[in-house]
């Protein structure tokens, strides 16, 4: 597990990894934020492919090719909408990470990059989300040596500061 979790600031669409994770909505047909950026960079074939995926519930994930992205795959994870914390939001966020990692294992993905799922439009508190993201990934890696690298990609400064405060994440300098 040690040395496999990394932190980088910037745009997830630029990363040359086996898979990038998208913070999608249940339609899987695109939207704003990181979802919009991924669909723009992947090209229209991504939406056409996702149309056939049948959507996903909050906490679920589906996989597609990366099309024009440098990443081979996109894993579309749907995080919870924050509604105050009493609607199972924490467990749903954990499942979004876990189901993404399970898909990665099933598809021979060795390197995977996550954005800070649900911490934008969906309004999940950032520190709590980081605890769940890092905790879930850490636990998964101890049991699944097939995943070699997990990169947390922070686009906004607040998330980056929060993640940089965790011991055990290797900081990769941005280009
Ligand atoms: N690379 C990496 N992270 C990014 C990028 C990027 N290019 N752009 C934004 N972020 P959000 P959510 C960060 O709102 O909260 C969409 O409309 C951003 O700083 O993209 O899960 C979907 O279609 C934030 O920390 O996703 C859904 O309807 C993080 O990505 C809804 O938003 C997540 O913010 C999902 O909301």
């Amino acid at each position: 597990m040690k040395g496999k979790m990394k932190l980088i600031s910037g745009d997830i669409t630029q990363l040359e990894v086996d898979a990038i994770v998208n913070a999608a909505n249940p339609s899987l047909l695109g939207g704003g934020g990181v979802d919009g950026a991924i669909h723009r960079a992947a090209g229209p074939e991504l939406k056409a492919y996702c149309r056939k995926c049948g959507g996903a519930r909050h906490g679920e994930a589906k996989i597609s090719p990366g099309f024009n992205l440098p990443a081979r795959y996109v894993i579309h994870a749907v995080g919870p909408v924050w509604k105050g914390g009493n609607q199972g939001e924490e467990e749903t966020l954990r499942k979004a990470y876990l189901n993404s990692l399970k898909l990665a294992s099933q598809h021979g993905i060795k390197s995977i990059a996550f954005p800070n799922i649900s911490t934008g439009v969906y309004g999940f508190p950032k520190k709590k989300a980081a605890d769940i993201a890092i905790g879930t990934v850490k636990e998964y890696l101890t049991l699944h040596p097939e995943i070699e690298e997990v990169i947390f990609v922070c686009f906004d400064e607040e998330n980056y500061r929060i993640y940089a405060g965790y011991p055990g994440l290797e900081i990769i300098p941005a280009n």
Side-chain angles (χ1 to χ4, degrees):
M1 200 282 292
K2 206 168 188 309
K4 288 184 169 185
M5 292 197 301
K6 300 179 182 169
L7 169 63
I8 192 165
S9 80
D11 178 5
I12 201 166
T13 66
Q14 307 291 312
L15 296 186
E16 289 178 32
V17 285
D18 293 338
I20 61 171
V21 177
N22 184 15
N25 62 59
S27 78
L28 302 183
L29 297 179
V34 68
D35 195 6
I38 288 173
H39 275 268
R40 273 193 303 279
E45 280 174 293
L46 179 60
K47 190 168 172 178
Y49 185 96
C50 288
R51 217 181 270 293
K52 297 184 206 140
C53 291
R57 289 190 208 116
H58 294 279
E60 289 182 345
K62 297 262 174 94
I63 192 163
S64 76
F67 297 104
N68 294 339
L69 289 164
R72 192 149 53 98
Y73 293 103
V74 179
I75 294 174
H76 304 264
V78 185
V81 179
W82 181 258
K83 292 178 179 162
N86 295 318
Q87 314 270 332
E89 294 95 328
E90 295 189 26
E91 184 54 17
T92 304
L93 186 62
R94 199 181 75 80
K95 282 191 186 144
Y97 279 91
L98 195 57
N99 286 325
S100 300
L101 291 163
K102 284 182 183 168
L103 275 177
S105 291
Q106 286 161 12
H107 288 79
I109 288 161
K110 296 183 188 311
S111 58
I112 178 169
F114 282 96
N116 308 129
I117 299 171
S118 283
T119 68
V121 174
Y122 279 1
F124 204 106
K126 291 181 179 177
K127 173 71 172 77
K128 213 185 267 292
D131 280 341
I132 292 166
I134 293 169
T136 305
V137 167
K138 197 170 169 182
E139 193 184 335
Y140 191 86
L141 290 178
T142 59
L143 300 170
H144 294 273
E146 70 274 13
I147 308 280
E148 293 174 1
E149 183 181 46
V150 177
I151 304 174
F152 295 101
V153 185
C154 294
F155 190 73
D156 62 273
E157 222 170 277
E158 191 187 348
N159 265 314
Y160 186 79
R161 267 203 310 275
I162 291 169
Y163 275 76
Y166 285 87
L169 296 191
E170 182 191 330
I171 295 179
I172 305 176
N175 294 326

